[in-house]
Amino acid sequence: MPSWHPACCRRVSMHKNLRTALAAASVAALTGGLLVATAAPSTAASAKYADDFNGDGYRDLAVSAPGTVVGGHDQAGAVVITYGSSSGLQSSRTQVVSQSSSGVPGASEDADRFGEATASGDFNNDGYADLAVGAPLEDTTAGSDSGAVTVLWGSSAGLVGGTALEIPPLGYVTGYGQVLTSGDFDGDGFDDDVAVSSYWDNSVFFYKGGTTKSSTLGGRTGFPATSLTEVISLAAGDVNADGIDDIVVGGHDSDSRELYKQSLYLGLGSSRPQYAGDVAHGQTAAVGDVDGDGYADIMTGHPWDQRSSLVGTSLGGNVSLTYGSASGRDTSRPIVTITQNTDGIPGASETNDNFGHAVALNDINGDGRADLVVGAPYESIGAAEATGSVTVIPGSAGGLATTAAYAYNQGSTGVPGAAEGGDYFGKAVALTDTNGDGMADLAVGASGENNMDGAVWSLKGRTSGLTTTGAVSFGAGTTGLPTSGWPEFGVWIAG
């Protein structure tokens, strides 16, 4: 099962009555008109890519290292930007940003966990992608461990300076910025909006992209995910193909045995987003068009082992596909659940594999359909425990082609490094085209590499699928991060 570092242990559930009270307070604030601000529509040219921070035409990656020691402060946290190029990612083209960097609001302090979550988009529509960074244990005027979200601004020189987003005026807030995603939630054609959630609360807040670097961007609003008591994940994509990104909200439902639900909300551009039902159970989610029908599909990962108290679990973990349609979920097609015991999937379902801990969807082979990558960071390789692996399942007109699946670990031919216990290879996965050839490349994080220093791998996409030819890997020290403490470089990747 997933492990948590001491600074993250505050994710444990609070008493049901307290969480219910907090949810009620959120609803009151959300429906009381306190969270809405407006701004003039943008007339600037938005960035070509929502993850090109320096505007050079190549997509970049933001790799989190929230356990990094900064200025002697343990787990203050940092983010490493790995810039794309015609040859893909290069360890020599990186940038480290922390709260001690020039122009970044706040200060590096013990256990801030800056970088715990990130999301990219051109939030001020100046042609350069920006990065929203969560520091869920930051102390602010809103309270101890209230959390914070900082937007780092893109430029021709990369990320330069930042602005702290204004925390909504809730009666109680903790862990703000623990969960982030971005997309086009207002249908203006630009991925310039950011969604934020926090610990022990079921609220989702939206900051609309604007033309200024203000603390509310172009305006802020929000809604309560009434099907949940606590949000733990967010994923965005246009499920019903109406030109507006929808959002999949994952979290806890303590009123039933469905402890990890994933709920779909449509119509985010309106004042009251529409709850469109629950999709497959899971702790993680990704959105992409697997079968190429024009509707984005929803992939959920449920890494927990089978238990009587958890609905939807399997031995070693599973992933499930819910198809999209014009009405949201395609209820005419059954949910497809895949485990490592499914025909064609490499390996076998074993206790504590954590298959589904991380999921990503994008087009690896350029056929117009999203392919799936699944991380199983606790997979054992030979006698080495918790080494980790990733599985690739191609998309097809008929859905996920499990018989064409393949897998990688650090013992695979062409993958740099060696399979060692406690590496957690596959703790994070991301699919984005970093070399501009039109096919998504795979980034894999192994936050446990070298005693929790962490490392990242990049494998290039090809028409035949991923290739290990030219694969690169670099660790925390190579990027300039200090390796004292537990940096956890690669625990989260956005791009």
Side-chain angles (χ1 to χ4, degrees), residues 50-96:
D51 47 6
D52 179 7
F53 303 117
N54 59 358
D56 65 353
Y58 294 101
R59 296 177 182 270
D60 310 312
L61 287 178
V63 184
S64 295
T68 299
V69 175
V70 182
H73 297 286
D74 186 37
Q75 299 194 54
V79 176
V80 178
I81 306 305
T82 58
Y83 288 98
S85 70
S86 59
S87 57
L89 299 184
Q90 300 172 329
S91 61
S92 60
R93 301 188 72 240
T94 59
Q95 176 189 10
V96 178

Side-chain angles (χ1 to χ4, degrees), residues 26-37 168-170 176 194-196 201-208 219-225 265 267-268 270-273:
S26 298
V27 172
L30 287 163
T31 58
L34 298 176
L35 304 180
V36 179
L170 299 173
Y176 197 67
V194 61
V196 185
D201 192 84
N202 70 345
S203 303
V204 181
F205 296 95
F206 297 96
Y207 294 79
K208 177 179 169 56
R220 185 189 64 232
T221 187
F223 75 97
Y265 286 84
L268 302 182
S270 65
S271 59
R272 292 184 179 275

Side-chain angles (χ1 to χ4, degrees), residues 87-174:
S87 57
L89 299 184
Q90 300 172 329
S91 61
S92 60
R93 301 188 72 240
T94 59
Q95 176 189 10
V96 178
V97 184
S98 72
Q99 286 185 287
S100 293
S101 298
S102 177
V104 176
S108 296
E109 301 164 317
D110 287 346
D112 280 349
R113 302 285 295 180
F114 181 83
E116 185 83 20
T118 59
S120 62
D122 186 1
F123 303 131
N124 63 340
N125 290 318
D126 66 350
Y128 299 98
D130 313 304
L131 185 70
V133 182
L137 297 182
E138 173 87 359
D139 295 338
T140 72
T141 55
S144 176
D145 293 345
S146 62
V149 177
T150 301
V151 173
L152 305 175
W153 301 108
S155 73
S156 60
L159 295 179
V160 178
T163 300
L165 295 186
E166 184 177 280
I167 297 176
L170 299 173
Y172 180 87
V173 61
T174 185

